[in-house]
Amino acid sequence: AQSVAQPEDQVNVAEGNPLTVKCTYSVSGNPYLFWYVQYPNRGLQFLLKYITGDNLVKGSYGFEAEFNKSQTSFHLKKPSALVSDSALYFCAVRDSPTGANNLFFGTGTRLTVIP
Amino acid sequence: NAGVTQTPKFQVLKTGQSMTLQCAQDMNHEYMSWYRQDPGMGLRLIHYSVGAGITDQGEVPNGYNVSRSTTEDFPLRLLSAAPSQTSVYFCASTHRNEQFFGPGTRLTVL
């Protein structure tokens, strides 16, 4: 069974400080991992994905994520937070390339960047 | 490209009514899916389709039907609406491991 955990419902960070949004996963095979962002009253927007290769993945809007197989984690990071980064962030996982393209989502983390 | 479009944006139903949420994509993606988003629960997969004429159930299919007569369209039908179906519904299409989401339909069942 596949699952994703986002242990923090809410993350607050001051503008200009580094931010981290945590995600851990569980899959039976090799994971495909994703981060999405949702702004108020909008659909989800793709940020980045890990399929294979370098453990550090760079994505949109200056975000990056580090895949750690031993810790089964895929934390989202940004060196310097902007107020405009305030949104709801979802981590998602898909199990192996042979399965259907179904994503399992975490419950989301609301990021607030304080001016 | 318009991407993934959904109609209506908002809908209020009474218990027992039926309706169809529309979803269309103009990117020629084979794979499409429907999710519902509820507070504190993330997104949960309702139904999905790997191509025209092929559909399958996701995590929470009860109370919903889908069909896929064309590559472009993937409507979601509520047969007899219940208050538990109050939610925000998102349609998505997938290409090369990236899902493209529509803007959502906010449904309230009274």
Side-chain angles (χ1 to χ4, degrees):
Chain A
Q2 306 161 72
S3 66
V4 173
Q6 292 182 245
E8 300 159 317
D9 292 334
Q10 175 82 41
V11 170
N12 296 326
V13 63
E15 186 178 21
N17 282 2
L19 69 87
T20 299
V21 183
K22 296 179 181 178
C23 171
T24 59
Y25 66 90
S26 175
V27 296
S28 56
N30 293 320
Y32 285 12
L33 294 156
F34 304 81
W35 275 103
Y36 286 83
V37 60
Q38 185 180 32
Y39 297 101
N41 300 313
R42 302 286 295 277
L44 275 71
Q45 296 178 31
F46 172 81
L47 275 180
L48 51 80
K49 66 183 176 187
Y50 171 83
I51 304 297
T52 186
D54 287 342
N55 290 341
L56 185 64
V57 178
K58 294 189 183 297
S60 306
Y61 312 122
F63 284 93
E64 58 188 27
E66 186 168 12
F67 171 63
N68 187 317
K69 188 173 183 178
S70 63
Q71 296 184 4
T72 62
S73 67
F74 190 57
H75 300 331
L76 181 70
K77 300 180 180 183
K78 187 173 183 180
S80 179
L82 301 173
V83 172
S84 57
D85 293 330
S86 297
L88 188 57
Y89 290 81
F90 289 97
C91 182
V93 67
R94 184 188 132 196
D95 188 2
S96 86
T98 58
N101 286 318
N102 296 332
L103 292 182
F104 287 83
F105 285 84
T107 53
T109 298
R110 186 166 300 281
L111 173 68
T112 300
V113 181
I114 302 165
Chain B
N1 287 352
V4 180
T5 58
Q6 292 183 239
T7 57
K9 285 186 166 48
F10 302 95
Q11 183 70 48
V12 178
L13 293 177
K14 294 181 180 178
T15 296
Q17 287 185 313
S18 62
M19 79 159 296
T20 299
L21 308 185
Q22 301 291 344
C23 174
Q25 52 95 5
D26 61 358
M27 298 173 283
N28 203 33
H29 293 167
E30 291 293 328
Y31 187 90
M32 296 184 73
S33 49
W34 275 101
Y35 293 87
R36 59 178 288 174
Q37 182 180 22
D38 301 293
M41 301 188 73
L43 278 76
R44 292 180 292 169
L45 182 67
I46 304 171
H47 285 284
Y48 66 95
S49 168
V50 299
I54 306 170
T55 64
D56 206 346
Q57 296 181 350
E59 183 184 357
V60 288
N62 292 342
Y64 307 95
N65 276 357
V66 292
S67 59
R68 186 90 180 273
S69 56
T70 67
T71 299
E72 293 78 19
D73 299 301
F74 190 43
L76 178 73
R77 296 185 189 85
L78 281 71
L79 306 175
S80 178
S84 61
Q85 294 178 303
T86 293
S87 187
V88 181
Y89 291 84
F90 289 101
C91 179
S93 69
T94 301
H95 181 64
R96 294 188 177 183
N97 297 308
E98 182 176 337
Q99 289 204 339
F100 299 84
F101 285 85
T105 294
R106 186 174 294 275
L107 176 67
T108 301
V109 183
L110 303 176

